[in-house]
Amino acid sequence: MLNGRKLKIGILEWQNFCKKSDCSTNGSIVYTHVCKDLFDSLAEYLNFTYELIEPPDKSWGELSETWNGLLGMVARNGIDLSGIPYGITLKRSKAFAFSYIMYQYECEVVHKKLSNNDNHWMLLVSVFKWEVYVCGLLTMAWCIGLYTLLERYSVGEHFEAGEIPACPPSTSDSVMTAVLVPLRQGSLHLPRASSGRIFYTSWVWFCIIIVAVYTGNLVAIISVVKENIPFNTIKELAENDDFKIIIAKGTSYVDIYKYSNDSVSKKIWTKVLDARSADIRNSLDEDLHIKMLLQSSYYAYITGSTETNGIEKMVFNLRKMKCSIGPYFLSLPFPANSPLAELFSDKLMRLYDNGMLEAWARKWSSTKREEDVPAMTKVDMSNMRSAWTMCVSGITVAITILGIERFLNYQINQD
């Protein structure tokens, strides 16, 4: 095989495949996770030792005039191979030799879920449709009138000589009796006639049912977050002006959308460039993408399914959408015409067939970050002007009704 030759392998941190270790000896770079298991196995089988080297600019590499970043080191024979698998594209296949396919993945769009809950104070009255409230107010008004009628004109009641009949309830008493029941309060006036008591009991049972339904629906609306789906296809994403699109530099998706003649892909690439110009920090490091997703719900990140599995552990409440651009394949890139590509392919084929690559991926993906449990959504009393307007209006109407009642009682007593 390689007779103990020392290979230079380019490396960068990438999800659960490669993680930089805190412990290093003699200033050497120490990486763990899948890459260590993989290259230890390859080194034993092919009889070589290896040294891990990071690119100076810490980038994956893309083609401008020449290849830069990690791919640039491979193209200039600065290293023997890349320790990170890359997607195979037309431009890369012309500049590099690729090993046997290691992973297959799908293109996905990830973004934070949007909530349909509009939790301002109007949520308190949005539990039922407006027709329910109108019917409820009409029913209450009918109950007030019927209760007053039953109490003032009790049919079939007889009074003995000298007996003073009980004072019938005033209009305010009837109003308060009907209003306090759904508010779970007692009434100052108890019905004296049997008909009034039967009616009052029926009104209490009716209010218990309505209040229970209202309370249950309100708790459900506040505590359950309804998902708002802004787009379902890549075309809808391209036409959505609210979302900014980010794609990591050096990925195969850059070539897909940058050099495509499809109108939808051109729109996607234009939005990617706009996002880059708006944020200079753009896309040199995947941690920056994750920060963007955490900061705003209006960032859409186009990446592979292998990356999204890692992002889900860091960004809570993430939504994934599959792109319809077909599967992509990851392989280790070597310098053009390198004989190492064929040597490595034989061992990689064996590792793929016997399931070791998948087993290592499962092994290192088992460590998950703790996710915060979302608390119950609170009602936001942000629109205070309209809330105060309604309160003042209600108080004004109540004072007006009481004033009219007192005026009518005074006129009746005068007469």
Side-chain angles (χ1 to χ4, degrees):
M1 295 296 179
L2 294 176
N3 297 321
R5 176 183 169 184
K6 187 174 184 179
L7 299 182
K8 295 180 179 180
I9 301 176
I11 204 75
L12 276 174
E13 279 194 297
W14 180 57
Q15 290 299 327
N16 288 321
F17 187 85
C18 257
K19 288 293 183 181
K20 198 170 184 178
S21 176
D22 294 333
C23 56
S24 60
T25 57
N26 302 325
S28 60
I29 302 173
V30 178
Y31 276 85
T32 59
H33 287 49
V34 178
C35 65
K36 187 176 188 312
D37 294 336
L38 173 63
F39 288 112
D40 285 348
S41 178
L42 290 172
E44 181 181 358
Y45 179 75
L46 298 175
N47 188 22
F48 69 88
T49 59
Y50 61 91
E51 176 189 2
L52 300 178
I53 301 175
E54 292 181 344
D57 56 1
K58 300 291 194 282
S59 67
W60 301 105
E62 59 182 349
L63 180 62
S64 51
E65 295 181 357
T66 58
W67 291 95
N68 58 19
L70 183 55
L71 287 180
M73 296 174 66
V74 179
R76 295 187 296 271
N77 290 304
I79 53 178
D80 294 295
L81 72 150
S82 167
I84 303 295
Y86 279 75
I88 303 174
T89 62
L90 180 61
K91 292 184 178 294
R92 291 176 182 174
S93 63
K94 293 180 178 179
F96 306 97
F98 283 90
S99 67
Y100 181 78
I101 294 172
M102 295 176 58
Y103 300 105
Q104 176 181 334
Y105 66 101
E106 299 285 341
C107 176
E108 294 181 340
V109 180
V110 295
H111 64 90
K112 289 184 68 175
K113 293 180 180 178
L114 302 179
S115 173
N116 266 342
N117 287 0
D118 192 12
N119 293 323
H120 51 78
W121 69 271
M122 285 296 292
L123 180 66
L124 298 175
V125 296
S126 64
V127 175
F128 296 134
K129 293 184 178 180
W130 66 269
E131 294 90 347
V132 177
Y133 291 105
V134 172
C135 293
L137 292 175
L138 293 177
T139 302
M140 183 176 291
W142 177 78
C143 289
I144 292 172
L146 182 61
Y147 181 74
T148 304
L149 180 65
L150 292 175
E151 288 295 289
R152 290 186 179 182
Y153 306 99
S154 300
V155 180
E157 286 197 16
H158 301 280
F159 301 99
E160 297 179 359
E163 181 181 357
I164 301 176
C167 180
S170 62
T171 303
S172 60
D173 291 334
S174 300
V175 171
M176 294 304 297
T177 299
V179 171
L180 290 175
V181 170
L183 297 178
R184 300 180 181 179
Q185 302 293 325
S187 174
L188 298 176
H189 181 275
L190 295 178
R192 59 188 179 86
S194 299
S195 57
R197 293 173 182 175
I198 294 174
F199 171 78
Y200 184 79
T201 303
S202 303
W203 173 243
V204 169
W205 282 107
F206 172 79
C207 290
I208 289 175
I209 296 173
I210 292 298
V211 170
V213 174
Y214 173 86
T215 306
N217 287 345
L218 181 62
V219 171
I221 291 175
I222 294 177
S223 59
V224 177
V225 178
K226 298 180 181 178
E227 182 180 356
N228 180 15
I229 302 177
F231 52 84
N232 288 308
T233 62
I234 198 70
K235 182 178 180 180
E236 293 179 2
L237 173 60
E239 296 174 352
N240 192 315
D241 296 331
D242 296 330
F243 275 80
K244 297 179 180 180
I245 304 176
I246 50 180
I247 303 177
K249 291 182 177 181
T251 60
S252 55
Y253 305 113
V254 171
D255 292 346
I256 293 173
Y257 293 104
K258 183 177 181 179
Y259 301 108
S260 176
N261 292 323
D262 180 65
S263 59
V264 175
S265 298
K266 288 182 177 180
K267 288 183 180 180
I268 293 291
W269 182 245
T270 301
K271 296 184 73 172
V272 170
L273 295 179
D274 292 341
R276 289 183 179 179
S277 61
D279 195 336
I280 301 176
R281 302 177 306 165
N282 167 74
S283 301
L284 290 176
D285 190 346
E286 189 169 348
D287 288 340
L288 296 179
H289 294 156
I290 295 173
K291 290 179 181 179
M292 293 178 185
L293 291 174
L294 288 170
Q295 290 172 358
S296 174
S297 297
Y298 292 95
Y299 274 109
Y301 183 21
I302 299 178
T303 184
S305 55
T306 53
E307 288 84 0
T308 58
N309 294 333
I311 294 174
E312 279 185 312
K313 302 167 190 174
M314 306 177 208
V315 182
F316 180 76
N317 214 19
L318 198 68
R319 182 177 182 269
K320 298 191 296 184
M321 185 199 79
K322 288 189 179 295
C323 299
S324 56
I325 60 176
Y328 268 78
F329 306 98
L330 295 178
S331 299
L332 296 178
F334 295 78
N337 304 317
S338 173
L340 294 176
E342 186 175 353
L343 284 176
F344 274 69
S345 292
D346 178 65
K347 178 60 175 176
L348 288 173
M349 187 183 302
R350 294 170 185 246
L351 293 175
Y352 183 87
D353 291 340
N354 61 25
M356 286 304 299
L357 292 176
E358 184 179 355
W360 287 331
R362 288 197 305 268
K363 169 187 173 183
W364 293 106
S365 64
S366 59
T367 304
K368 296 184 178 181
R369 297 189 180 184
E370 295 183 358
E371 296 177 344
D372 296 330
V373 178
M376 179 180 290
T377 310
K378 297 181 180 179
V379 179
D380 183 14
M381 302 293 289
S382 57
N383 194 356
M384 296 301 295
R385 180 179 297 178
S386 55
W388 279 112
T389 302
M390 289 193 65
C391 291
V392 172
S393 300
I395 294 173
T396 303
V397 171
I399 293 175
T400 303
I401 293 175
L402 291 175
I404 294 175
E405 181 185 4
R406 296 301 179 188
F407 175 76
L408 293 177
N409 287 336
Y410 176 77
Q411 292 294 331
I412 293 172
N413 293 331
Q414 288 291 92
D415 294 340

